[in-house]
Amino acid sequence: NAGVTQTPKFQVLKTGQSMTLQCAQDMNHNSMYWYRQDPGMGLRLIYYSASEGTTDKGEVPNGYNVSRLNKREFSLRLESAAPSQTSVYFCASSEDHRGTYGYTFGSGTRLTVV
Amino acid sequence: QKEVEQNSGPLSVPEGAIASLNCTYSDRVSQSFFWYRQYSGKSPELIMSIYSNGDKEDGRFTAQLNKASQYVSLLIRDSQPSDSATYLCAVTAGTGGFKTIFGAGTRLFVKA
């Protein structure tokens, strides 16, 4: 009964370092998403994958890359971290690409870039 | 104009009262509407979805949708301190690939 699992939960990076955030879902959902949440700005879509084998940019894709490894897994990579990427990152999944039935979110990754 | 707007609050209500949370959206062809609850330091959790005009009730929660006014609301009856959280309104746009847009959220505080 895991739902959406994200790792790690916390991470501190130095400017210029790289890292990959991992996300896996066990609900057989087709679509997966990466959001960042900053105070006062709500959830902003970074990248999404409507189905296995496809990925598309969201509202704030600069500085990020993604990989839809298979139907279950969707990773987010920061190639050269910047302080502006300090945020809470959420992975989410939905049954279809329209989000018709809403999203299930992972527990989040709190990232600090110093 | 933001695509999904909510009053940031905080909205403070006494225990047992009705909490009313409001949300407006700009895309007239939006199709699906959701309310998520987010406790401090936790992830959003889907609590209500509504797709057609009118009211939808689930326990102490009622979602109301008025597409003509581009307005969706959430009523929480018999509010409890455990309802204290941030409530996010989300709208699935009818254009641009059916992406879901989230409001910034309204903080609700229920006083015991």
Side-chain angles (χ1 to χ4, degrees):
Chain A
N1 196 24
V4 178
T5 302
Q6 279 183 246
T7 56
K9 294 190 183 303
F10 301 93
Q11 185 71 49
V12 178
L13 290 178
K14 293 182 179 179
T15 298
Q17 287 185 319
S18 63
M19 77 163 295
T20 299
L21 282 64
Q22 306 286 354
C23 176
Q25 53 92 8
D26 62 2
M27 297 171 290
N28 201 36
H29 283 176
N30 288 304
S31 303
M32 298 184 73
Y33 312 83
W34 277 104
Y35 283 88
R36 61 178 289 173
Q37 188 174 40
D38 302 291
M41 300 193 72
L43 287 160
R44 292 185 291 169
L45 182 64
I46 304 170
Y47 270 93
Y48 67 99
S49 172
S51 61
E52 184 179 358
T54 69
T55 61
D56 284 288
K57 295 178 181 180
E59 180 185 357
V60 289
N62 291 344
Y64 306 95
N65 284 299
V66 291
S67 296
R68 184 74 182 266
L69 304 170
N70 48 55
K71 190 171 185 179
R72 292 186 61 249
E73 298 174 288
F74 188 39
S75 63
L76 178 72
R77 183 162 178 83
L78 287 70
E79 290 291 350
S80 179
S84 60
Q85 294 178 305
T86 293
S87 187
V88 180
Y89 291 84
F90 290 105
C91 177
S93 68
S94 64
E95 288 190 36
D96 62 22
H97 71 280
R98 300 185 180 194
T100 304
Y101 306 105
Y103 291 177
T104 300
F105 284 87
S107 58
T109 297
R110 190 172 296 273
L111 174 67
T112 302
V113 183
V114 297
Chain B
Q1 180 188 5
K2 292 182 180 178
E3 294 180 77
V4 178
E5 292 207 54
Q6 297 180 253
N7 187 320
S8 63
L11 172 66
S12 183
V13 300
E15 184 175 359
I18 295 175
S20 178
L21 305 163
N22 304 313
C23 172
T24 58
Y25 60 94
S26 60
D27 186 343
R28 287 193 166 275
V29 295
S30 296
Q31 298 187 344
S32 305
F33 306 84
F34 306 93
W35 284 99
Y36 290 80
R37 178 177 62 200
Q38 185 174 24
Y39 292 114
S40 180
K42 301 297 185 181
S43 60
E45 173 193 14
L46 180 65
I47 56 172
M48 289 290 288
S49 58
I50 186 166
Y51 305 100
S52 55
N53 282 328
D55 295 358
K56 178 181 178 182
E57 186 174 319
D58 184 0
R60 295 186 296 112
F61 298 99
T62 298
Q64 300 175 316
L65 175 61
N66 183 325
K67 288 188 176 182
S69 299
Q70 296 174 241
Y71 179 94
V72 59
S73 65
L74 178 70
L75 301 178
I76 306 175
R77 292 181 299 281
D78 188 24
S79 295
Q80 301 297 309
S82 58
D83 295 324
S84 298
T86 296
Y87 289 81
L88 307 177
C89 173
V91 175
T92 299
T95 56
F98 295 98
K99 61 183 179 180
T100 297
I101 307 297
F102 287 82
T106 298
R107 285 188 296 141
L108 172 66
F109 179 62
V110 181
K111 299 175 292 185

